Amino acid sequence: MKRKILSLSLLAFLGAATLSSCKKDKTELNEEELITSVTLTFTEVGGSSTPLTFSFKDPDGEGGNEPTQFDEIVLAPNKVYTCAISFLNESVSPADNITEEIAEEGHEHQIYFVPTPASLATINQLSTDANGLPLGLTSRWTTSATAGSGTVKVALKHKPDGMKQAGDGIGVGETDVELDFDFRVQ
């Protein structure tokens, strides 16, 4: 009888320990932010022109109403631009600046820019995180010498706890936001 009570006590202890572990795991999950606005601001290197701004806006987030704004990115041929990207949650007032959080947690984030066809632009010199790995809050775009059109994928990936490595691809990590902007060089 004593042995049976000991076994039951051991099972109760293990059950409680398992439940405690589950609770801990839940608190460690990354809380996803609602991103309702993505804006890319281009400044021509060596040029005197006014910066160009292109935005995506979806006030109620993914799955609700259609976006209220989804600009086509239009850049001049044979130019070099610096690009700064920002992310906002405009469903709250005042708007929540997600860009600041991404900068603070740069070691867990990376922004990708993928033009299709690739000949439309070369995108490099991405800003880096504290570990020297690509972050992408700023980048350098060199447009093709000839006119053309296609798309550019803009993706923000979340890569927690050492998942982010040098040279990893767009398929690594959880997607916080992914947009295919129409892209034209003219």
Side-chain angles (χ1 to χ4, degrees), residues 1 31 103 177:
M1 182 70 157
E31 186 177 316
V177 66

Side-chain angles (χ1 to χ4, degrees), residues 152-172:
V152 63
K153 183 179 294 299
V154 177
L156 170 63
K157 301 297 256 188
H158 182 81
K159 302 179 179 194
D161 300 329
M163 184 183 284
K164 184 176 178 180
Q165 302 292 321
D168 57 10
I170 194 170
V172 177

Side-chain angles (χ1 to χ4, degrees), residues 31-71:
E31 186 177 316
E32 285 190 29
E33 301 288 343
L34 177 62
I35 297 173
T36 63
S37 175
V38 178
T39 300
L40 295 93
T41 302
F42 292 87
T43 304
E44 184 182 340
V45 175
S48 59
S49 61
T50 304
L52 304 169
T53 301
F54 306 99
S55 297
F56 167 85
K57 291 184 184 290
D58 190 0
D60 63 350
E62 185 176 357
N65 295 319
E66 292 295 313
T68 57
Q69 183 175 357
F70 203 164
D71 294 336

Side-chain angles (χ1 to χ4, degrees), residues 12-127:
F13 172 76
L14 290 174
T18 302
L19 291 174
S20 296
S21 295
C22 291
K23 279 186 176 178
K24 185 177 179 186
D25 289 344
K26 282 186 177 180
T27 59
E28 291 176 357
L29 290 174
N30 179 50
E31 186 177 316
E32 285 190 29
E33 301 288 343
L34 177 62
I35 297 173
T36 63
S37 175
V38 178
T39 300
L40 295 93
T41 302
F42 292 87
T43 304
E44 184 182 340
V45 175
S48 59
S49 61
T50 304
L52 304 169
T53 301
F54 306 99
S55 297
F56 167 85
K57 291 184 184 290
D58 190 0
D60 63 350
E62 185 176 357
N65 295 319
E66 292 295 313
T68 57
Q69 183 175 357
F70 203 164
D71 294 336
E72 178 183 28
I73 298 171
V74 181
L75 300 175
N78 206 26
K79 301 285 186 185
V80 178
Y81 297 89
T82 58
C83 174
I85 189 167
S86 64
F87 301 90
L88 298 175
N89 175 5
E90 295 179 313
S91 69
V92 294
S93 182
D96 189 13
N97 188 343
I98 308 297
T99 312
E100 293 172 356
E101 183 178 324
I102 294 167
E104 290 170 6
E105 299 174 358
H107 62 288
E108 294 185 349
H109 291 93
Q110 185 169 351
I111 302 159
Y112 291 87
F113 303 95
V114 183
T116 302
S119 59
L120 282 176
T122 301
I123 304 170
N124 55 25
Q125 293 189 355
L126 303 173
S127 62

